[in-house]
Amino acid sequence: MEKIVLQAQRRTLERTAKALRREGYLPAVMYGAHFPSTPILLDAHNAGLKLAKVSSSTLVYIELDGETHAALVREKQRDYIKNRLLHVDFQVVSLTEKIRTTVSLHFEGVSPAVKDYNGVVVTSLDEVEVEALPQDLPERIVVDLSKLARIGDTIHVRDLEVAKGVKVLNDPDEVVVVVSTTTEEVEAPAEGELSEPEVIERGKKEEEVE
């Protein structure tokens, strides 16, 4: 992914956020373990374009007062009616200290169990928590569905493929995805997990008999 660099300036509290937005600015804040909470301003149009597809594990670089700071986006407040950002929280990170964050799972491929046995691929997780140096954080973790050959085949957290230096913190035995004959046959998730499994792929329905 192309390196994301944002030009920022310090924000004084003399003017309201609403007034600043009218002038084309995006209010934001930078903070970190070794960085004091600092209100900043970004160009709203430029920041909106660059942050559109940024995830919680995407490293961005903020230039402020002649210095460049590596940061992660921790929160984005958005006006969904006008489709614009209202405020962004950035966590300034050290490139020499490991951090924890969530990374989304991306499902690819076609399960042979779907084609050959009319199976249903059901997901139990759509993201996992990882620990790594900021520059080693993956944008996403790919899950290969083509490995699910038969009904009952399962991919667990321990089966996820991640780069060296990246540690997945979820329970290794936790189910990521399973092939079932119907969604009802999937074991109900424990409290705190997804309330309903998500069906992401299924085989052709049998033709109805008239």
Side-chain angles (χ1 to χ4, degrees):
M1 184 176 180
E2 182 181 354
K3 184 177 180 179
I4 298 175
V5 181
L6 299 171
Q7 303 290 334
Q9 63 186 60
R10 290 181 181 268
R11 174 194 170 191
T12 64
L13 301 180
E14 298 172 355
R15 307 176 66 189
T16 66
K18 186 175 182 180
L20 292 168
R21 293 189 191 102
R22 284 200 300 265
E23 296 181 13
Y25 291 108
L26 171 64
V29 64
M30 298 168 62
Y31 61 86
H34 310 293
F35 194 90
S37 180
T38 304
I40 61 172
L41 292 175
L42 304 169
D43 178 81
H45 178 71
N46 181 62
L49 292 176
K50 291 187 175 182
L51 298 177
K53 297 183 179 180
V54 164
S55 70
S56 60
S57 60
T58 303
L59 201 61
V60 300
Y61 297 87
I62 302 174
E63 295 185 353
L64 177 68
D65 296 339
E67 297 184 2
T68 301
H69 305 276
L72 296 174
V73 175
R74 284 313 189 197
E75 183 178 0
K76 290 190 288 186
Q77 297 178 23
R78 177 177 292 277
D79 182 338
Y80 289 97
I81 296 177
K82 296 182 178 180
N83 191 29
R84 65 173 183 173
L85 289 174
L86 297 177
H87 193 276
V88 182
D89 289 5
F90 295 99
Q91 179 186 358
V92 179
V93 297
S94 168
L95 297 181
T96 60
E97 296 180 8
K98 291 184 176 182
I99 61 173
R100 295 183 177 188
T101 191
T102 56
V103 177
S104 62
L105 301 179
H106 180 71
F107 299 90
E108 291 185 351
V110 177
S111 167
V114 172
K115 296 189 299 181
D116 300 336
Y117 302 103
N118 197 38
V120 178
V121 175
V122 182
T123 62
S124 297
L125 291 177
D126 57 10
E127 64 180 18
V128 292
E129 185 179 14
V130 304
E131 180 181 68
L133 292 172
Q135 62 270 32
D136 293 334
L137 290 173
E139 291 288 327
R140 60 185 183 178
I141 296 175
V142 174
V143 181
D144 185 5
L145 298 179
S146 67
K147 296 180 179 180
L148 302 171
R150 296 181 177 277
I151 301 296
D153 281 359
T154 304
I155 295 176
H156 296 86
V157 168
R158 62 175 177 269
D159 302 316
L160 296 176
E161 297 182 4
V162 295
K164 183 179 180 180
V166 178
K167 180 180 180 181
V168 180
L169 301 177
N170 293 59
D171 183 346
D173 294 327
E174 193 171 2
V175 173
V176 174
V177 61
V178 62
V179 179
S180 174
T181 53
T182 65
T183 56
E184 288 74 19
E185 293 182 12
V186 179
E187 183 178 352
E191 183 178 355
E193 298 179 2
L194 295 178
S195 59
E196 294 183 3
E198 179 186 1
V199 179
I200 62 174
E201 185 178 316
R202 71 181 306 151
K204 296 180 180 179
K205 296 182 180 179
E206 297 181 0
E207 294 183 359
E208 295 181 358
V209 179
E210 297 182 357

